[in-house]
Amino acid sequence: MTFADEVKNAVTPRAALLVIGVLGLQLLFIASYVGALHKPKPTDVPFGVVAPQQMSAQLIAELRNLPGGPLDPRTVADAATAREQILNREIDGALIVSPRSTTDTVLIASGGGAALADTLTKIITKVDLTQQRTVRSVDVAPASDQDFDGLSSFYLVVGWCVGGYLCASILAISAGSKPANRQRALIRTGVMALYSIVGGIGGAIIIGPILGALPGSFWGLSGLGALTVFAVGMLTLALQALTGIVGIGLAVLIVVIAGNPSAGGAFPLPMLPDFWRAIGPALPPGAGTWVARSIAYFKGNAVTGPLLVLSAWAAAGTLVTLLLSMRRKPDDAAGDTAPVGSTAA
């Protein structure tokens, strides 16, 4: 047998296609992470301005016309309203102009991301310098001193997402990528639900009581974790039911390659390029990170939309998995590929 024949026997067309697919995922990983994070800059950051009426319009116009358009300023009635809007996550910061002195106040929220809070302070400090004024910053939603740069919530959600698609992948690798019938699809869904509950509680225990890295409601974080793990796990199971083992790669594409850099973790959403800023809130890592920060630092405000996103992924994944299992014929189930010595489930 020639060397070429050996190669043909050793490398099947299916294996070659899978290797090419892995190479594609590798290159997309590099492109997505570097594209999203290599040059963060704020764009259209929702920003409040509290100033005397005679100077408010001019100040807002000046902030709106800053080079690069970093701010999207709007008038706010008073300092109390500005604080409330920050805690409700309607704006990311605010400038309180003092009519009686030359020192103004910039309100920030490092719990929503230290990089953005620091950037807003620098922008307003530079603007006030041109007016011979100074600025002091007040952090109305400060990150825990055990939560460096407000990143703990992001890494917590990443861990939950990893658990979700790894658990679903193991179910596929160990017992056939496509469930043989509806009963077995229900079993996989049940296993995924139980794993999600344990994973959610476990993550909340580690991040809270053990490490003290993230404040906020323990049971709120546990529930978020269970929903996040289940959403990602069922997404992965659905993709596997649709495409077989390729579904694992598709889950990695959606959750890891597209979802993680657009989640607003390392740099909050207003500092990301337009593409990642647009897709981030619609993907599990972004929705989960937003809710985790809201639970920890913003009194649980502004979580309805992101929770609906996670619920939609979970519901869609469950529905697709169960529907596809009901459509399968006995011959299809018998033809599933499973590891030697295992039973397709």
Side-chain angles (χ1 to χ4, degrees):
M1 183 178 291
T2 66
F3 179 75
D5 292 331
E6 291 284 1
V7 171
K8 289 179 181 179
N9 288 335
V11 183
T12 64
R14 182 171 183 268
L17 288 175
L18 288 174
V19 169
I20 292 171
V22 170
L23 175 61
L25 287 176
Q26 172 186 303
L27 298 178
L28 285 172
F29 184 99
I30 295 170
S32 183
Y33 278 71
V34 177
L37 307 175
H38 77 290
K39 191 179 179 182
K41 62 177 182 178
T43 306
D44 294 328
V45 179
F47 191 80
V49 175
V50 179
Q53 186 175 5
Q54 63 271 22
M55 63 182 301
S56 178
Q58 179 181 350
L59 180 56
I60 286 179
E62 182 180 355
L63 294 177
R64 183 173 289 121
N65 293 325
L66 289 174
L71 302 180
D72 177 17
R74 71 281 310 270
T75 300
V76 177
D78 51 44
T81 302
R83 287 174 177 266
E84 181 181 359
Q85 290 186 6
I86 292 173
L87 291 176
N88 288 335
R89 309 201 73 177
E90 298 172 16
I91 58 177
D92 291 304
L95 172 63
I96 315 298
V97 177
S98 173
R100 297 189 180 91
S101 72
T102 59
T103 300
D104 299 329
T105 302
V106 58
L107 303 181
I108 54 175
S110 61
L116 179 59
D118 291 343
T119 298
L120 290 177
T121 301
K122 290 176 182 178
I123 290 172
I124 299 304
T125 298
K126 187 175 181 180
V127 170
D128 268 26
L129 280 176
T130 63
Q131 306 295 326
Q132 287 78 51
R133 300 178 67 85
T134 58
V135 169
R136 69 184 184 97
S137 64
V138 174
D139 199 339
V140 300
S144 164
D145 58 5
Q146 300 297 314
D147 181 13
F148 177 74
D149 277 357
L151 290 174
S152 295
S153 54
F154 171 60
Y155 291 128
L156 173 64
V157 172
V158 168
W160 281 330
C161 290
V162 169
Y165 67 71
L166 283 182
C167 179
S169 300
I170 288 171
L171 289 174
I173 293 171
S174 64
S177 59
K178 300 180 181 180
N181 51 48
R182 182 178 62 180
Q183 288 73 24
R184 293 183 182 182
L186 286 170
I187 291 172
R188 288 190 180 186
T189 302
V191 170
M192 198 69 246
L194 179 60
Y195 176 88
S196 299
I197 293 171
V198 175
I201 294 174
I205 289 174
I206 292 171
I207 203 76
I210 293 179
L211 297 179
L214 208 61
S217 167
F218 170 80
W219 290 112
L221 289 173
S222 296
L224 169 64
L227 179 57
T228 302
V229 175
F230 189 70
V232 173
M234 293 313 300
L235 162 65
T236 307
L237 287 179
L239 291 172
Q240 290 169 174
L242 281 168
T243 64
I245 201 71
V246 174
I248 297 175
L250 295 177
V252 170
L253 175 63
I254 294 171
V255 177
V256 178
I257 294 176
N260 285 353
S262 65
F267 299 105
L269 288 175
M271 300 187 73
L272 298 180
D274 290 343
F275 173 75
W276 288 269
R277 185 175 181 173
I279 66 172
L283 298 176
T289 299
W290 178 277
V291 176
R293 283 177 171 165
S294 287
I295 291 172
Y297 299 119
F298 296 92
K299 302 180 180 180
N301 293 325
V303 299
T304 302
L307 288 177
L308 287 175
V309 168
L310 291 170
S311 299
W313 282 107
T318 303
L319 185 63
V320 169
T321 300
L322 296 179
L323 287 178
L324 289 178
S325 69
M326 293 170 64
R327 292 178 57 188
R328 303 197 69 202
K329 299 177 182 179
D331 291 344
D332 295 333
D336 273 343
T337 300
V340 176
S342 67
T343 301

